[in-house]
Amino acid sequence: MIRRATPDIPAILEALAGPGWCVASGFLERDHVAALAAECRQAHAAGAFHPAGVGRGQSARREEIRGDHVVWVDDLERGPALGAALDRLEDLRQVVNRTLFLGLFDAELHFALYPPGAGYQRHLDRFRDDDRRTLTTILYLNADWQAEDGGLLRFWPEADGPHLDIPPLGGTLVTFLSDRFWHEVLPAHRERLSLTGWFRRR
Ligand code: OGA
Ligand code: MN
């Protein structure tokens, strides 16, 4: 029996080197996802989250554009599940640098919580006035996400081509070159959690 490695890093590297985007299930094991979701909810219950803004520094609040609430990882005390997830992402950053020479220097990461009804309109992740964001990583923390829960990531592999709808299933990592791919979060009908961020160049 062939057992796929968890996470399947070679497959992620191949996809990033080719089309520039990848959806990888099983980036974190189920128990790890549950523990990370619990840490995320705990931070939310403690009042650590704030409504996300748009633009550099998230300075402008525009609920019609995005309705999620976020907390930057650097502003949190790290629980063991978050620590281990960050280690995984750091491993990914290093292997991407070694193989694809993207010069990823650091990461800015946040937990994002979409309350029921919230979405995020079609956008690119790189700002007009700041081109450091290079590789987007979105790690979903939702167990048992159903079709009726909404909250799909709508993703355009080509700006004027057909789109793909990706359910935010726990343990799935979506990663793509930040300047290239339009995407949108359709309104979620139940709480939708992720650990989302950007590897940046200097
Ligand atoms: C973002 C974003 C997508 C998602 O935070 O910039 O596009 O599926 N998130 O959560
Ligand atoms: Mn985005």
Side-chain angles (χ1 to χ4, degrees), residues 72 89 107-111 125 133 135-139 174-176 178 194-200:
W72 294 106
L89 289 168
E108 49 170 0
L109 289 155
H110 62 52
F111 280 125
D125 280 349
R133 283 185 177 182
L135 189 68
T136 298
T137 60
I138 308 166
L139 177 60
V174 177
T175 180
F176 53 86
S178 305
S194 65
L195 175 63
T196 293
W198 301 273
F199 291 130
R200 298 186 298 194

Side-chain angles (χ1 to χ4, degrees), residues 2-173:
I2 299 171
R3 207 167 155 270
R4 280 180 61 188
T6 306
D8 192 347
I9 299 291
I12 296 175
L13 295 173
E14 199 179 308
L16 290 179
W21 61 276
C22 180
V23 180
S25 60
F27 186 77
L28 288 190
E29 299 75 9
R30 180 187 281 263
D31 292 354
H32 192 172
V33 172
L36 189 52
E39 288 179 12
C40 176
R41 288 206 180 83
Q42 217 167 41
H44 187 251
F49 282 61
H50 56 87
V54 296
R56 192 177 167 189
Q58 295 199 357
S59 46
R61 251 196 90 186
R62 300 279 299 281
E63 222 171 298
E64 74 283 9
I65 296 181
R66 66 183 294 191
D68 57 328
H69 293 219
V70 299
V71 60
W72 294 106
V73 159
D74 286 348
D75 294 339
L76 286 175
E77 267 183 51
R78 289 177 192 183
L82 178 56
L86 296 179
D87 288 347
R88 276 283 166 85
L89 289 168
E90 172 60 16
D91 290 348
L92 179 64
R93 183 185 75 83
Q94 291 188 16
V95 72
V96 166
N97 276 346
R98 283 200 303 272
T99 55
L100 306 178
F101 310 107
L102 288 182
L104 306 176
F105 169 71
D106 68 358
E108 49 170 0
L109 289 155
H110 62 52
F111 280 125
L113 183 152
Y114 288 72
Y120 192 161
Q121 284 181 8
R122 193 177 196 257
H123 65 280
L124 291 172
D125 280 349
R126 184 176 279 183
F127 302 121
R128 256 162 299 196
D129 57 350
D130 181 345
D131 66 359
R132 285 177 299 169
R133 283 185 177 182
T134 302
L135 189 68
T136 298
T137 60
I138 308 166
L139 177 60
Y140 296 116
L141 309 179
N142 311 292
D144 306 319
W145 196 264
Q146 304 292 322
E148 64 266 24
D149 297 329
L152 298 167
L153 172 65
R154 182 157 284 181
F155 185 86
W156 282 265
E158 283 159 50
D160 47 8
H163 64 254
L164 220 83
D165 282 338
I166 301 158
L169 276 173
T172 295
L173 181 81

